[in-house]
Amino acid sequence: MAHFVKPENALKRAEELINVGQKQDALQALHNVITSKRHRAWQKSLEKIMFKYVELCVDMRKGRFAKDGLIQYRIVCQQVNVSSLEEVIKHFMHLSTEKAEQARSQAQALEEALDVDDLEADKRPEDLMLSYVSGEKGKDRSDRELVTPWFKFLWETYRTVLEILRNNSKLEALYAMTAHRAFQFCKQYKRTTEFRRLCEIIRNHLANLNKYKDQRDRPDLSAPETLQLYLDTRFEQLKIATELGLWQEAFRSVEDIHGLMSVVKKTPKASLMVVYYAKLTEIFRISGSHLYHAYVWFKLFSLQKSFNKNLSQKDLQLIASSVVLAALSVTPYDQTVGASHLELENAKERNLRMANLIGFNLESKLENREVFSRSSLLTELVSKGVLGCATQEVKDLYHLLEHEFLSMDVALKTQPLLTKISKLGGKLASASSVPEVQLSHYVPALEKLATLRLLKQVSQVYQTMKIESLSQIIPFFDFSMVEKISVDAVRHKFIALKVDHMKGVVMFGSMGLESDKFRDHLTLLAESLSKARDMIYPSTKKVSKLSEVLPGLGEIIDKEHKRLLARKSIIEKRKEEQERQLLEMEREEESKRQMLQKKTEEAEKKRLAAMFEQQRAERIRKEIEERELEEAQALLQETEKHLKRGKKKPILDGEKLTKQTLIERAMTEQLKERQEQEKRLQKVAKTMDHLERAKREEAAPLIEAAFQQRLVEEKALHEHEQQMEVELSRQRHDGDLKEKNRLARMLENKMIFQERVINCRQAEFDQRRVEREDRIKQIILARKQERDIKRKKIFYVRSEEERIRKLREEEEARKREEAERRRKEEAERRAKLDEIAEKQRQRERELEEKERLRREALLGKTNEGLSRPSELPARSSTEPAAAAPALSSGKYVPKFRREKTESSSPAPASEPDRWTRPALSESDRRPVGSRAPPSQSDRWTSGSRGPLDSDRFGSGGSSRGLAPDSNRPGGAGNTDKPEPWRPSRSRNQQRG
């Protein structure tokens, strides 16, 4: 494979190959350049190469090559120059269309040439046999061979372009133009099969567009231009489907339009909606859905009257007449009477679906949908003045069939009106979307309606009527057709009648008396009256004279009857036995035949397997021999290259060439010419190097092409499997919906059972929840107690460590500072602290006295105490009295206070309190004047506090529940007996 440094070189090489007639090589060279990774940057020369490439693809009808090249070129110029891709695709479609037109112009009989059901199908076996058996080909077959391949290629071109442009937001107009041209192709040449496939392709493109919304360069349906292009494509699809007579595909196109607008939640323009309803009228008219057809005509009339300002009075009158006649053509009875539950559910779902399509509701809420019915439609037509816009014949027909009661003359008066109505109609000059209106389409349905009205009115007047008389007053149909209409009306309980052909009469009945309820009541009444008559007037049994003549006749008859019954049973048993024997014989024969067939098949399988193995071994042997022969030939040629011309050893014709003989000959020659052989070996090595390099260069694009082809095939397979999966999912969804509708009648019982189960479980849940909450409360209480104990222990340990550390720091500071300065500062500080401590103690005594008086007043007890706080002897004497209220109020009291309350004697020195600090040494308990004062930095970290702290935290201690400052060594008011610890707030209260 040749690599081109510049794309222009490849183009020149391709033109040279085309000039010598090697188009396939030229196409391959251009394909290699387009798919090469070296030329992924867009340049003008690539566009010229693509023009030449698509020309070659069209000339040689290489659709796969064209698709592959266009995909690669789209990757190259997608983000750089999309207009170049557009020009190439337009050129491609122009060439394909031109070739197809040339082939069509050459064919003389186009209808015969295009007599193919499927352009994608291969030739039929009988056509191939006919072409080979007949010596001279006919003109039709020559035309088919000339025209059909080019039309196949044109169809493949449209499919390729649509596939390439399906997710490109920058080429939406080109995508729409291609779809329109494909529709015109199907319309011009009556290609119904291809039209269905084209509709499915476009439908799948839109579905994938909505499914994969994260694709790059994806068209935005919310944009007005994009939405208009998609709508125009769908409406063109709807028009072509109706022109080709593909009504099912036309209805699917209507659903596509409605689904597209449901996605974007927008309503199309009035001009498009007129086309929508005009085509929908044709679809429902062809399908025989008169009710939907009438509603669509009513919508179309409303749109024309509201938005068409150029609508003439004649055209408006013709459209209004069509609306009224379409409403009258609806059958006057309910078609769902007597239907099963499943049929009713299907009818309901179909009505809701049609209501969405006809009303163009973009919301799927059920409560907003109207219910279609003939009576409501006629009432709406009268109330909105549609009947007033109709012709006089239509008005007279409406009043005659809906309001007047003429039992014998309904059909006779209706016939001339229908004759006049059938002549009305024609093209509408001021409504281009509704090209033509023919009122004659409604005449058969109106004749049927007149017949039903006549039968209904006659049944209310007459009980019986001769068939001849009934046939005379119904001039539309013969009696067989009248009978068929009557059967359908009776089945749907519109009228009640019976036809007696033996007597030649028709018997009419009342719907009320003919019901099963009244019939059973009359039967019971007759039986009761008969019993009463027998009781009042008992009948006298008369003795038969025949019994006197033949006294044993009864016994003889009984015996004969029994004998006949026995004979009948014997005959039936014999028949059953014979049938059983025949069945047994047939089974045995069938089993034998199956066994024989099985043995034959097994023998055939073994024979085929043996033959396959034999052929496989023979093929392998031949391949080995051929490979050895090729190797020998190659070795011979290689040996001849190394030999000198004058010293070649001739090869005899009968001599058998083998690898061994050739090797021996080569070795002999190599021994003779050793020096020259070394030079030749160097040359051969160089040649082999270049050969291997050339092989790899040639193999690289082939591998890449195979890889790209594999990607395309796997992509097609993936899309097919995905489509199948979507179809299976849709079928499963439809089945689930049917199953849901079937189980909907059990919903009430299910809700009752569910409520009962939920109530039982709720009671059980409440009981277990209460138990669980009790357990949780107990666990929380226990954990809270554990946390309090643990917190107190941690606080005690930390306090001791902090005290020891501070003492160590104070000792080191005292050694460093000057002695004289320490004494002065200590004297000043001690004076101030003593004054503050005295004030603090005075305040605490006042507070404690007030608290004691308040407690005594509340408890009603009179405790003797000191009359003034100044008369309190010592701090230790008031501690038991202060601890007792704390115990009674539920507050925490330290252990040493509780011990002092229980016994006036202090705790032994060997067992220190948990919450008080251990006894201080003599150096720590010495008087204030003899202690070394702490440093200035230790004033706020040690146990002492200033006046601000005392006022802030009060007499109860610090804000974190620590012991008051007076209890710490070196603090204010430090006496021989330490101040008891009194927590102000717990840690949980501080967090709250």
Side-chain angles (χ1 to χ4, degrees), residues 841 845 848 866 868-882 900 975 977-980:
R841 283 194 295 270
R845 283 193 291 268
E848 287 176 358
L866 298 175
R868 293 185 306 274
S870 59
E871 295 179 0
L872 294 174
R875 184 68 180 165
S876 61
S877 62
T878 62
E879 287 176 358
K900 290 180 180 180
T975 58
K977 186 172 290 185
E979 184 74 10

Side-chain angles (χ1 to χ4, degrees), residues 561-573:
H561 180 65
K562 291 179 181 179
R563 187 181 66 80
L564 291 175
L565 289 177
R567 184 173 178 274
K568 183 179 179 181
S569 63
I570 292 170
I571 292 171
E572 290 178 353
K573 288 180 180 179

Side-chain angles (χ1 to χ4, degrees), residues 466-481:
K466 291 184 178 181
I467 294 177
E468 294 80 2
S469 302
L470 187 61
S471 300
Q472 291 177 1
I473 63 177
I474 301 178
F476 310 125
F477 310 108
D478 55 359
F479 186 72
S480 60
M481 190 63 187

Side-chain angles (χ1 to χ4, degrees), residues 728-783:
L728 291 175
S729 300
R730 187 182 292 112
Q731 293 177 3
R732 286 195 295 268
H733 178 67
D734 295 339
D736 294 341
L737 287 179
K738 292 180 181 179
E739 186 67 15
K740 177 183 176 183
N741 294 331
R742 187 178 68 83
L743 297 177
R745 56 192 179 85
M746 297 188 293
L747 182 61
E748 184 177 359
N749 295 330
K750 177 250 182 186
M751 296 302 297
I752 294 172
F753 176 75
Q754 180 181 355
E755 185 177 0
R756 185 166 64 249
V757 172
I758 289 175
N759 291 334
C760 295
R761 292 183 179 177
Q762 184 66 32
E764 184 180 357
F765 171 75
D766 294 339
Q767 182 180 358
R768 293 187 178 182
R769 184 176 62 183
V770 171
E771 296 176 358
R772 180 175 175 275
E773 289 177 354
D774 294 340
R775 290 196 302 270
I776 290 173
K777 288 180 181 179
Q778 295 177 1
I779 293 171
I780 289 173
L781 184 60
R783 290 181 179 178

Side-chain angles (χ1 to χ4, degrees), residues 661-707:
T661 57
L662 293 174
I663 290 175
E664 291 176 358
R665 182 179 298 176
M667 291 297 295
T668 304
E669 295 297 331
Q670 286 175 2
L671 290 174
K672 292 179 181 179
E673 301 177 355
R674 182 169 307 216
Q675 294 178 356
E676 189 176 353
Q677 185 68 20
E678 291 178 357
K679 297 179 181 179
R680 292 175 180 174
L681 285 175
Q682 292 177 0
K683 186 177 180 180
V684 168
K686 189 175 181 180
T687 304
M688 292 298 293
D689 186 14
H690 289 291
L691 180 63
E692 183 65 25
R693 184 180 300 173
K695 286 182 180 179
R696 295 188 180 182
E697 290 179 354
E698 290 290 333
L702 297 178
I703 294 172
E704 181 66 22
F707 175 71

Side-chain angles (χ1 to χ4, degrees), residues 607-618:
R607 186 182 67 79
L608 292 175
M611 185 182 297
F612 176 74
E613 290 293 333
Q614 184 178 359
Q615 293 176 356
R616 180 170 172 273
E618 185 69 19

Side-chain angles (χ1 to χ4, degrees), residues 72-182:
Q72 295 296 328
Y73 191 64
R74 180 188 64 180
I75 297 173
V76 171
C77 62
Q78 176 68 35
Q79 305 298 332
V80 181
N81 191 359
V82 184
S83 60
S84 176
L85 176 63
E86 183 178 0
E87 293 298 328
V88 171
I89 290 176
K90 286 181 179 179
H91 185 62
F92 178 45
M93 288 194 297
H94 173 70
L95 292 176
S96 301
T97 307
E98 187 177 4
K99 289 289 184 179
E101 290 296 331
Q102 291 177 2
R104 188 179 68 88
S105 62
Q106 295 174 6
Q108 297 297 328
L110 179 61
E111 296 296 332
E112 291 82 359
L114 289 180
D115 189 14
V116 181
D117 293 335
D118 191 354
L119 291 178
E120 296 184 4
D122 296 330
K123 291 184 177 180
R124 295 178 298 177
E126 53 268 23
D127 297 336
L128 293 174
M129 291 177 64
L130 183 61
S131 64
Y132 286 110
V133 170
S134 60
E136 184 180 358
K137 296 183 179 180
K139 187 175 183 304
D140 295 344
R141 281 184 282 122
S142 64
D143 290 340
R144 181 179 289 110
E145 289 181 358
L146 179 64
V147 178
T148 304
W150 281 111
F151 277 87
K152 283 185 177 181
F153 182 75
L154 181 58
W155 167 245
E156 188 177 356
T157 299
Y158 289 138
R159 291 192 58 174
T160 300
V161 174
L162 289 175
E163 184 67 25
I164 291 172
L165 301 177
R166 62 189 179 92
N167 286 334
N168 199 324
S169 60
K170 300 178 182 179
L171 297 176
E172 296 170 349
L174 183 59
Y175 178 85
M177 185 194 73
T178 306
H180 283 260
R181 294 179 66 175

